[in-house]
């Protein structure tokens, strides 16, 4: 039994038997299950059958057992924030031409942060590499990965093209690999990226909703080509659905040139 102590007349503590209540262990013993099962059942977990949940709840009520709301809240937080044990080491490869893209690029650091955070939550360690490291032949990559017992590869930072060096093809064959941010064609690896078509379409629809009459798309053509025109496709879909032909505009792709010569943009 759990005994709750209250302050006595002299400022000390003494047991108040009227405030005793059964423990979870006693409820478990009375119902013939484990303490963990009692805990799950009283929290309504689907991991315990409905029949067992009802039986445990009925027994707990008859015995006068009550969950301590403060302890229950604390345990819920602990379960939510519990860090998993170490699972494996993964390689996180910077495929951008700049060696410092993981920290200095306008957008790539967001992908890096997301990968690191998710890896931490799932118990993975990420070792960072630069794809264009000089004097790194295939054999060197393989020996490093094997020595570190790396179990998979995450590739980030493709911004100029969607191809990886052909000389490293055996690396992608030996280690499970995934690309994030852009889809590769050579080789065709698994990939995870945002839905650029849906993003562009939703942005266009929102602009119309806000009262803009001729929303336009300004986008670096290299980026749109890298993602196979999905930003353009979403934008054009929005135009075809919501604007008459006379009000539609062509996307502007010469962003890099316009930075150096405003006349390029003015002509558009």
């Amino acid at each position: 039994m759990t005994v709750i102590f209250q302050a006595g007349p002299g400022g000390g503590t003494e047991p108040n038997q009227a405030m005793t209540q059964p423990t979870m262990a006693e409820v478990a013993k009375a119902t013939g299950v484990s303490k963990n099962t009692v805990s799950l059942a009283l929290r309504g977990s689907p991991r315990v059958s409905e029949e067992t949940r009802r039986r445990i709840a009925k027994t707990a009520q008859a015995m006068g057992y009550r969950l301590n709301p403060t302890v229950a809240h604390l345990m819920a937080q602990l379960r939510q924030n519990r860090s998993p044990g170490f699972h494996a080491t993964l390689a996180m490869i910077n495929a951008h031409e700049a060696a410092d893209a993981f920290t200095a690029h306008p957008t790539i650091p967001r992908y890096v942060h997301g990968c690191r955070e998710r890896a931490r939550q799932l118990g993975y360690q990420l070792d960072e590499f630069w794809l264009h490291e000089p004097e790194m032949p295939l054999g060197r990559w393989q020996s490093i990965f094997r020595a570190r017992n790396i179990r998979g590869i995450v590739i980030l930072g493709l911004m100029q093209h969607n191809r990886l060096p052909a000389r490293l093809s055996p690396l992608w064959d030996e280690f499970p690999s995934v690309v994030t941010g852009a889809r590769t064609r050579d080789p065709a690896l698994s990939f995870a990226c945002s839905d650029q078509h849906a993003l562009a379409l939703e942005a266009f629809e929102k602009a119309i909703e806000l009262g803009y009459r001729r929303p336009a798309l300004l986008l670096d053509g290299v980026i749109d080509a890298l993602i196979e025109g999905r930003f353009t496709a979403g934008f054009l879909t929005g135009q075809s659905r919501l604007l008459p032909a006379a009000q539609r505009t062509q996307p502007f792709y010469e962003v890099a040139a316009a930075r150096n010569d405003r006349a390029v943009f003015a002509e558009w």
Side-chain angles (χ1 to χ4, degrees), residues 94-107:
N94 171 16
H96 196 272
E97 285 70 17
D100 62 351
F102 275 8
T103 57
H105 192 272
T107 59

Side-chain angles (χ1 to χ4, degrees), residues 40-146:
L40 291 172
L42 295 181
R43 287 188 281 117
S45 172
R47 294 167 58 185
V48 180
S49 69
E50 183 177 352
E51 179 182 351
T52 301
R53 292 202 304 267
R54 289 179 177 177
R55 179 167 59 86
I56 292 173
K58 184 177 180 180
T59 301
Q61 183 177 13
M63 294 176 66
Y65 179 81
R66 296 289 186 275
L67 279 175
N68 184 315
T70 302
V71 174
H73 177 68
L74 175 60
M75 292 305 296
Q77 287 187 316
L78 290 174
R79 292 187 192 96
Q80 183 177 0
N81 298 327
R82 183 182 298 159
S83 297
F86 173 76
H87 287 306
T89 300
L90 304 176
M92 185 165 64
I93 297 180
N94 171 16
H96 196 272
E97 285 70 17
D100 62 351
F102 275 8
T103 57
H105 192 272
T107 59
I108 293 174
R110 298 183 182 182
Y111 288 91
V112 174
H113 173 75
C115 289
R116 286 174 176 161
E117 182 62 20
R118 192 59 174 156
R120 182 192 65 79
Q121 293 171 357
L122 298 176
Y124 288 91
Q125 174 180 310
L126 293 178
D127 286 2
E128 296 182 13
F129 300 88
W130 184 36
L131 183 65
H132 309 288
E133 191 73 49
E135 300 181 6
M136 278 282 283
L138 171 64
R140 179 64 175 154
W141 283 97
Q142 291 174 316
S143 63
I144 291 175
F145 282 18
R146 292 166 185 165

